[in-house]
Amino acid sequence: YTFYNNRKEIRIAIHCNSTNPVYLVEEIDKRLNNLLTDYIDVLILDNLSYVPTKGGSDGIYDELIKLQRNSVVQSIGFRTSNFDLLKEAFLSGYYDFIMFPFNIFTDKQILDFIELEKSSETKFISENPTANKKVVDIPLLSGFFNQYDSLITLWDCEEEETINQILYLSCDDIDDIVE
């Protein structure tokens, strides 16, 4: 099955951890061919030990900008679990979003940073909101995440009941819920 007929309705995100621009382009080309598409909506640099920057010696970010100019990649993100890299990536202003583990157990230092930076164009994406399923009270978690307007929560759920709770709590109007 391919996405060819519905491509405009589907967002494709891929994770890459290449630190070499040649390998990065090869990896993206391979995925484009496998998916039978000519662009990726979101490319996420995944768990690198540093933050690629414009003019950097590795050439990664500069290659991503070329791919973006050529409409091969629409948005560029950075994923990390390291707070120092989170700050560096965010403060660089080079990334459309930063993805990191964020949940009810998150350190106050990170909470304060997110609150301080909420007016930025860079979006924060929370992964692992249930803390590896340690917290299953969706209304509690929803209330916690609703405090952060600049945060996009990437829910990790498999059970229908959990999905229904998230949908219910996410809708402003009960008529928005489609069964």
Side-chain angles (χ1 to χ4, degrees):
Y1 180 76
T2 66
F3 303 113
Y4 184 75
N5 292 332
N6 299 324
R7 179 61 181 102
K8 291 183 180 183
E9 298 171 27
I10 296 169
R11 296 195 52 125
I12 297 174
I14 64 171
H15 291 250
C16 291
N17 59 4
S18 179
T19 57
N20 178 306
V22 173
Y23 296 141
L24 176 73
V25 171
E26 287 175 2
E27 187 173 347
I28 292 170
D29 285 343
K30 179 180 174 185
R31 297 202 188 177
L32 291 170
N33 288 331
N34 288 344
L35 294 168
L36 300 176
T37 187
D38 57 353
Y39 69 98
I40 301 295
D41 296 286
V42 178
L43 184 129
I44 303 161
L45 292 177
D46 194 8
N47 284 319
L48 301 180
S49 60
Y50 66 99
V51 177
T53 58
K54 193 181 299 181
S57 62
D58 64 358
I60 291 289
Y61 189 82
D62 295 328
E63 190 62 44
L64 287 173
I65 293 302
K66 286 181 198 172
L67 291 166
Q68 200 171 39
R69 282 191 200 125
N70 293 328
S71 300
V72 175
V73 172
Q74 304 299 309
S75 297
I76 302 169
F78 187 80
R79 179 177 179 247
T80 186
S81 58
N82 179 299
F83 181 60
D84 292 330
L85 292 177
L86 162 72
K87 287 191 307 188
E88 184 180 344
F90 181 83
L91 295 173
S92 75
Y94 296 147
Y95 296 94
D96 298 310
F97 64 88
I98 311 294
M99 178 185 260
F100 62 98
F102 182 85
N103 54 56
I104 206 162
F105 301 116
T106 297
D107 184 270
K108 183 172 176 8
Q109 182 181 25
I110 296 172
L111 297 175
D112 291 345
F113 182 76
I114 290 171
E115 194 62 30
L116 180 69
E117 304 301 335
K118 67 182 175 184
S119 63
S120 169
E121 293 290 318
T122 301
K123 299 296 179 198
F124 289 107
I125 297 180
S126 162
E127 63 176 342
N128 195 18
T130 61
N132 295 324
K133 299 185 181 183
K134 290 178 188 162
V135 181
V136 294
D137 186 334
I138 299 302
L140 173 72
L141 291 175
S142 183
F144 172 75
F145 287 113
N146 285 341
Q147 299 176 76
Y148 302 96
D149 293 334
S150 64
L151 188 71
I152 299 167
T153 306
L154 184 60
W155 291 97
D156 55 344
C157 55
E158 299 169 9
E159 297 80 21
E160 184 177 354
E161 180 182 338
T162 303
I163 293 168
N164 287 337
Q165 285 183 34
I166 291 167
L167 290 173
Y168 179 79
L169 293 167
S170 298
C171 292
D172 293 330
D173 185 347
I174 195 68
D175 294 330
D176 290 341
I177 299 175
V178 178
E179 294 193 34

